[in-house]
């Protein structure tokens, strides 16, 4: 099949072409936009959503939107997908999102290395030398699936992209190169296209649509194409063109650290580490070199080495493949006969968040690295972006399907921007925690950065460049001397003190951490498309500590719905269990009301069904029975909920490690109820029953969540 072959080419079987040069300076022209004109569903020449950027965030968003029935396409400025591993840690919440993408989470779990090969961070003098310490980042509860139905994963970004492309192919997306397009400029832009080699160079907005100009090369000539759409989502990375065209600034800390990333392979090294000291990250300190090695796949022998970079005294020519090989040998502790340096890239670590995520009358939206740039410590960059897409997809679909006004899109910024700011602070703290290890060894990184700043901006700036380089090299040599074996040993008083301090850092969890369950699963939206508790005693969440904290289940509005295993209560003999998170559909805009089998809760469920019809949105009711409930009791639900049929009776399946009932877990009585949004976050709850008319309350809830005034809904029936 031609399309299948084309997708395979871009999953790694096609050599990179020359990089497309930047197009002419772009701009956005704005005009006033009326809410009723945001979408032109009857105009086939206007695409509802155009996604700019085909990284994991953009591809996940395109899949989610397509599954929700929203027409969309994707532009990607590169001609090929990078094989550089880049991000590699997928946290619990992202894996939960992937569980809704037709088996993606399961495929990642099958394809990733076994967890015992990457659960540790190892600190050593060389890969063949002494081990200074190690940290195991997996705890027993991480394997028991008590707090989540999914487990974290170690899976390189380019492999993830390959799986996402397969998903898009299954959704009938067409992957197209500019040179292979015929009649491209003369036909309406279609949905379900992934256009490679197309760079967004300008954005214009009027009352009817947004016009995006894409620049591309065809037969050696630069050409442009105007694409009409209702919404543009910028998922085009840290240097986002969409963000720049929208005139949105970043706020935060810039240039925390400059590094060079060296992607290389060595099956011999992988085989050695596999048998002797498996791990995910190796922090290597010796008198000749310092670096952090990321073991992306020990079995395949795939690695990325991160090296501090200090321009302009150092430049990329100082990191040629030959020089990088020598550095790797110094860090490994011996030469490798099969080493292959694949790629060398400089990059800069920032900690910034866009001043806003929504622009141009809710028509231009930022997600992923386009909206926030974190230090890689803790792996929050890609994961936060994936969760951006999950939060955004149902809101865009609600607007497209005329369930909610475009103002609901602004709640995306209201909810996600505080999370991005929090994760930025957490990533910075985790990065600082990583620096405590070299500092304990007598290598304070702040000293090197301060010296570098003085050379660049202070009196050192007047010195000849060669002398500047010599001073910098001299400082580094003196610093690395602290790592000599004669100093760093138990017999040397200073070395013994430093090693004891290092052990305390590891034992007290003060070094770089991998998992943050409290932040990963426990993040909460304080305002947005939800109804806050009137007696919310939690208030704002506790600030980041940089240390691992356990997740505490919560159904306070804005929280992710807690996980518990349940089983369908029916006459069948099936004992299949699934998660409460699986009760929420990934294929339609549907709210879930969870109740206990009580008369007042059934009355509330009937009101929810009725009001959902008024608001033109799907609702489902879950009647959650306590563990030990006998079969056939679910007949009571049928009698009390008829004529509505979109309900399910389930029974708790308790684990010995978590014997709490559902309502105890939620810190509520069984007279309470929980309304869950399509993104699995709680929109509203009542702890012990609704006071007053349930229909009036449900109208208030759906009105506030969707941003729709009840009197604006058509075809309302009178209260009963």
């Amino acid at each position: 099949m031609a399309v299948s072959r084309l997708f395979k080419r871009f999953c790694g079987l096609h050599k990179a072409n020359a990089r497309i040069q930047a197009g002419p300076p772009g701009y956005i022209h704005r005009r006033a936009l009326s809410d009723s004109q945001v979408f032109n569903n009857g105009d086939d020449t206007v695409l509802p959503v155009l996604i700019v950027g085909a990284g994991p965030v953009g591809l996940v968003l395109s899949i989610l939107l397509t599954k929700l029935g929203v027409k969309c396409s994707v532009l990607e400025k590169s001609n090929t997908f990078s094989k550089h591993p880049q991000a590699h840690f997928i946290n619990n919440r992202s894996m939960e999102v992937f569980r809704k993408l037709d088996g993606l989470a399961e495929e990642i779990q099958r394809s990733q290395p076994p967890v015992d090969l990457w659960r540790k961070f190892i600190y050593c003098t060389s890969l063949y030398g002494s081990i200074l310490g190690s940290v195991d980042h997996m705890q027993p509860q991480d394997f028991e699936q008590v707090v989540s139905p999914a487990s974290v994963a170690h899976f390189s970004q380019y492999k993830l992209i390959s799986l996402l492309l397969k998903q898009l192919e299954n959704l009938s997306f067409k992957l197209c190169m500019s040179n292979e397009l015929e009649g491209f400029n003369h036909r309406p832009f279609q949905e379900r296209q992934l256009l490679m080699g197309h760079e967004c160079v300008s954005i214009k907005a009027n009352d009817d649509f947004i016009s995006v100009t894409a620049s591309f090369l065809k037969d050696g000539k630069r050409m442009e194409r105007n694409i009409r759409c209702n919404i543009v989502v910028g998922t085009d990375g840290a240097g986002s063109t969409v963000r720049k065209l929208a005139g949105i600034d970043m706020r935060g800390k810039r240039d925390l650290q400059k590094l060079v990333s060296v992607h290389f392979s060595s099956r011999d090294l992988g085989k050695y580490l596999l048998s002797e000291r498996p791990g995910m990250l190796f922090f290597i300190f010796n008198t000749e070199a310092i670096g952090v090695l990321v073991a992306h796949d020990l079995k395949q022998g795939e690695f990325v080495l991160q090296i501090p970079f200090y321009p302009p005294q150092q430049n990329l020519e100082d990191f040629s493949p030959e020089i990088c090989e020598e550095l790797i040998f110094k860090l490994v502790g011996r030469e490798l006969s099969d080493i292959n340096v694949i790629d060398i890239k400089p990059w800069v670590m920032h900690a910034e968040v866009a001043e806003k995520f929504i622009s141009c009358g809710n028509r231009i939206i930022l997600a992923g690295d386009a909206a926030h740039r974190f230090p890689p410590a803790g792996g929050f960059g890609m994961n936060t972006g994936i969760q951006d897409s999950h939060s955004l997809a149902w809101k865009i679909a609600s607007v497209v399907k005329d369930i909610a006004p475009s103002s609901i899109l602004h709640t995306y910024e209201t909810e996600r921007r505080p999370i991005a700011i929090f994760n930025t602070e957490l990533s910075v703290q985790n990065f600082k925690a990583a620096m405590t290890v070299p500092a304990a060894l007598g290598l304070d990184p702040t000293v090197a950065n301060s010296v570098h700043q003085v050379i660049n901006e202070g009196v050192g700036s007047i010195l000849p460049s060669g002398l500047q380089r010599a001073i910098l090299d001299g400082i580094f040599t003196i610093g690395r001397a602290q790592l000599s074996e004669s100093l760093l040993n138990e017999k040397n008083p200073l070395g013994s003190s430093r090693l004891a301090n290092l052990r305390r850092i590891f034992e007290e969890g003060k070094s770089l951490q991998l998992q943050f369950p409290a932040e990963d699963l426990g993040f909460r939206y304080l305002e947005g498309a939800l109804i806050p508790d009137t007696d919310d005693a939690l208030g704002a969440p506790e600030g980041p500590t940089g240390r691992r904290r356990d997740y505490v289940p919560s159904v306070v509005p804005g929280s992710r719905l807690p996980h518990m295993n349940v089983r369908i209560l029916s006459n069948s003999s099936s004992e299949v269990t699934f998660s409460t998170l699986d009760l929420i559909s990934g294929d339609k805009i549907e709210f879930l009301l969870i109740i206990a089998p009580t008369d007042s809760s059934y009355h509330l469920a009937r009101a929810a069904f009725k009001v959902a019809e008024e608001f033109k949105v799907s609702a489902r009711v879950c009647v959650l029975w306590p563990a030990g409930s006998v079969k056939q009791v679910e007949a009571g639900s049928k009698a009390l909920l008829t004529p509505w049929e979109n309900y399910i009776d389930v029974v708790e399946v308790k684990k010995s490690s978590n014997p709490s009932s559902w309502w105890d877990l939620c810190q509520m009585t069984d007279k309470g109820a929980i309304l869950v949004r399509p993104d699995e976050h709680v929109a509203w709850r009542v702890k012990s029953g609704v006071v007053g008319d349930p229909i009036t309350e449900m109208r208030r809830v759906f009105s506030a969540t969707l941003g729709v005034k009840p009197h604006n809904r058509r075809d309302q029936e009178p209260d009963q």
Side-chain angles (χ1 to χ4, degrees):
M1 180 179 176
V3 173
S4 178
R5 289 196 300 271
L6 196 55
F7 266 91
K8 289 177 181 178
R9 284 176 56 189
F10 289 92
C11 290
L13 302 180
H14 182 63
K15 294 184 178 179
N17 295 325
R19 183 182 176 189
I20 291 182
Q21 299 297 311
Y27 65 94
I28 291 179
H29 174 69
R30 297 179 179 86
R31 287 179 57 188
L33 298 167
S34 64
D35 191 60
S36 63
Q37 294 173 318
V38 170
F39 283 92
N40 297 280
N41 295 317
D43 188 347
D44 291 337
T45 67
V46 179
L47 184 72
V49 181
L50 179 66
I51 300 166
V52 180
V57 177
L59 296 180
V60 167
L61 180 60
S62 65
I63 294 169
L64 290 170
L65 288 175
T66 302
K67 288 172 68 66
L68 290 171
V70 177
K71 297 178 180 180
C72 64
S73 284
V74 186
L75 296 183
E76 169 55 45
K77 69 178 181 180
S78 298
N79 283 311
T80 59
F81 290 101
S82 172
K83 296 287 285 185
H84 201 92
Q86 296 175 284
H88 57 96
F89 179 67
I90 308 175
N91 67 20
N92 273 119
R93 187 61 187 132
S94 294
M95 289 295 283
E96 288 178 352
V97 174
F98 290 165
R99 290 178 78 247
K100 297 296 178 74
L101 302 187
D102 300 324
L104 178 60
E106 292 78 5
E107 190 164 3
I108 290 171
Q109 293 286 1
R110 288 193 302 269
S111 303
Q112 71 166 348
V115 67
D116 285 343
L117 301 185
W118 53 266
R119 60 191 294 167
K120 292 183 179 180
F121 291 176
I122 295 174
Y123 299 79
C124 55
T125 57
S126 74
L127 296 182
Y128 277 84
S130 302
I131 292 180
L132 301 171
S134 67
V135 178
D136 188 342
H137 292 281
M138 302 299 290
Q139 297 182 4
Q141 62 265 33
D142 297 330
F143 301 98
E144 296 171 359
Q145 296 188 336
V146 172
V147 298
S148 174
S151 300
V152 299
H154 175 43
F155 197 65
S156 298
Q157 180 171 315
Y158 77 90
K159 296 179 181 178
L160 174 60
I161 285 177
S162 179
L163 295 184
L164 293 172
L165 290 175
K166 291 179 183 177
Q167 293 256 335
L168 287 171
E169 181 183 7
N170 292 337
L171 292 171
S172 301
F173 265 72
K174 296 179 181 179
L175 192 147
C176 308
M177 279 294 296
S178 56
N179 277 332
E180 298 166 340
L181 294 172
E182 296 295 334
F184 182 68
N185 283 320
H186 306 291
R187 68 170 187 261
F189 193 71
Q190 299 176 348
E191 63 170 311
R192 304 196 188 195
Q193 293 191 82
L194 172 49
L195 299 182
M196 303 298 296
H198 288 70
E199 182 171 10
C200 172
V201 294
S202 75
I203 302 174
K204 301 177 185 178
N206 60 37
D207 287 348
D208 299 317
F209 53 80
I210 285 181
S211 179
V212 173
T213 301
S215 173
F216 60 96
L217 285 175
K218 182 173 175 60
D219 299 328
K221 297 180 180 179
R222 182 157 297 283
M223 303 182 70
E224 291 186 349
R225 167 71 188 269
N226 291 324
I227 302 167
R228 294 178 174 184
C229 60
N230 296 125
I231 283 181
V232 176
V233 184
T235 59
D236 48 341
S240 173
T241 298
V242 173
R243 185 184 69 236
K244 293 172 183 175
L245 291 175
I248 299 174
D249 293 329
M250 301 293 284
R251 297 283 184 262
K253 300 175 183 177
R254 294 184 56 82
D255 298 344
L256 293 179
Q257 181 74 60
K258 294 182 175 68
L259 299 107
V260 169
S261 176
V262 183
H263 180 203
F264 73 95
S265 66
S266 170
R267 288 188 177 271
D268 288 349
L269 179 60
K271 185 177 180 181
Y272 162 72
L273 293 175
L274 201 62
S275 61
E276 299 297 327
R277 49 179 73 172
M280 176 191 282
L281 298 185
F282 296 83
F283 297 81
I284 310 168
F285 308 94
N286 63 49
T287 56
E288 293 188 284
I290 294 171
V292 179
L293 185 72
V294 184
H296 282 270
D297 194 321
L298 291 177
K299 289 184 177 180
Q300 295 180 1
E302 184 173 32
F303 303 92
V304 170
L305 175 64
Q306 304 288 2
I307 312 166
F309 181 38
Y310 294 92
Q313 292 77 27
Q314 295 178 337
N315 54 58
L316 262 187
E317 284 69 35
D318 296 321
F319 296 91
S320 66
E322 295 75 20
I323 293 175
C324 286
E325 283 186 10
E326 291 301 318
L327 276 171
I328 292 167
F329 296 160
K330 291 174 182 178
L331 293 167
V332 170
R334 63 180 60 184
E335 293 189 0
L336 301 168
S337 61
D338 67 338
I339 189 171
N340 176 31
V341 174
I342 301 167
D343 194 16
I344 302 167
K345 288 184 176 181
W347 63 282
V348 183
M349 187 186 300
H350 302 294
E352 297 180 302
V353 177
E355 60 183 356
K356 54 186 177 180
F357 288 11
I358 302 282
S359 177
C360 201
N362 302 324
R363 309 287 290 277
I364 299 175
I365 305 173
L366 302 179
D369 287 354
H372 40 72
R373 308 192 289 202
F374 307 151
F380 280 96
M382 180 180 72
N383 288 295
T384 304
I386 288 167
Q387 292 151 36
D388 288 344
S389 291
H390 191 228
S391 174
L392 181 59
W394 78 272
K395 295 177 179 178
I396 290 178
S398 295
V399 177
V400 172
K401 295 177 179 296
D402 196 29
I403 294 170
S406 66
S407 58
I408 196 174
L409 297 175
H410 194 74
T411 67
Y412 162 72
E413 176 182 309
T414 304
E415 294 175 357
R416 293 302 301 170
R417 190 169 183 274
I419 301 301
I421 291 172
F422 185 96
N423 287 350
T424 303
E425 295 172 357
L426 179 56
S427 298
V428 170
Q429 287 198 9
N430 205 24
F431 171 64
K432 290 179 178 178
M435 296 300 101
T436 62
V437 172
L441 296 173
L443 291 168
D444 190 342
T446 61
V447 173
N449 290 334
S450 297
V451 170
H452 186 232
Q453 186 174 2
V454 169
I455 292 174
N456 284 336
E457 302 173 8
V459 293
S461 61
I462 64 175
L463 299 175
S465 59
L467 184 55
Q468 291 182 23
R469 172 67 180 263
I471 293 172
L472 196 64
D473 288 344
I475 294 293
F476 293 159
T477 301
I478 293 171
R480 291 195 302 269
Q482 305 298 310
L483 303 169
S484 66
E485 292 183 3
S486 61
L487 178 59
L488 199 62
N489 66 76
E490 296 292 353
K491 295 181 180 180
N492 185 299
L494 179 58
S496 177
S497 174
R498 288 176 173 174
L499 290 172
N501 188 24
L502 189 62
R503 285 192 293 271
R504 281 195 297 272
I505 290 172
F506 294 145
E507 290 167 0
E508 295 173 6
K510 293 182 178 179
S511 61
L512 178 71
Q513 298 298 299
L514 177 65
Q515 292 206 72
F516 294 88
E519 291 78 11
D520 171 10
L521 298 174
F523 68 87
R524 176 167 64 98
Y525 304 137
L526 301 183
E527 55 182 333
L530 53 91
I531 297 88
D533 278 352
T534 55
D535 61 341
D536 185 359
L538 290 179
E542 181 184 349
T545 64
R547 302 191 195 182
R548 174 171 174 150
R549 296 183 293 190
D550 288 335
Y551 161 71
V552 178
S554 172
V555 290
V556 173
S559 303
R560 155 203 171 268
L561 182 71
H563 156 72
M564 175 181 273
N565 281 325
V566 294
R567 177 174 50 81
I568 295 178
L569 191 60
S570 68
N571 291 324
S572 72
S573 59
S574 173
E575 296 295 324
V576 175
T577 64
F578 53 93
S579 171
T580 46
L581 294 168
D582 296 328
L583 295 165
I584 295 98
S585 172
D587 299 329
K588 58 182 174 179
I589 304 300
E590 184 173 78
F591 285 78
L592 174 74
L593 182 70
I594 301 177
I595 62 170
T598 66
D599 288 343
S600 60
S601 293
Y602 280 119
H603 190 40
L604 178 65
R606 290 175 61 85
F609 277 131
K610 176 182 175 61
V611 172
E613 289 179 351
E614 295 176 7
F615 282 77
K616 301 191 302 182
V617 66
S618 177
R620 187 186 197 195
V621 169
C622 169
V623 185
L624 208 156
W625 297 75
S629 297
V630 297
K631 296 177 181 179
Q632 299 178 334
V633 297
E634 77 278 2
S637 296
K638 182 176 182 180
L640 291 168
L641 294 177
T642 300
W644 289 282
E645 298 180 350
N646 194 18
Y647 66 88
I648 183 172
D649 288 276
V650 301
V651 62
E652 300 169 343
V653 178
K654 293 184 180 180
K655 286 190 173 185
S656 57
S657 55
N658 184 22
S660 299
S661 73
W662 170 255
W663 299 107
D664 288 341
L665 183 74
C666 297
Q667 299 180 26
M668 294 169 57
T669 72
D670 64 358
K671 293 181 176 61
I674 305 163
L675 185 69
V676 189
R677 309 187 319 191
D679 63 351
E680 300 163 8
H681 280 256
V682 176
W684 166 87
R685 69 162 176 178
V686 60
K687 295 180 181 178
S688 56
V690 171
V691 177
D693 177 33
I695 284 186
T696 300
E697 177 63 5
M698 284 292 95
R699 283 184 178 144
R700 182 184 77 88
V701 169
F702 278 99
S703 174
T705 302
L706 296 171
V708 180
K709 295 181 180 179
H711 66 266
N712 284 346
R713 304 312 299 179
R714 297 184 294 273
D715 303 322
Q716 287 190 12
E717 296 178 17
D719 293 359
Q720 295 180 352

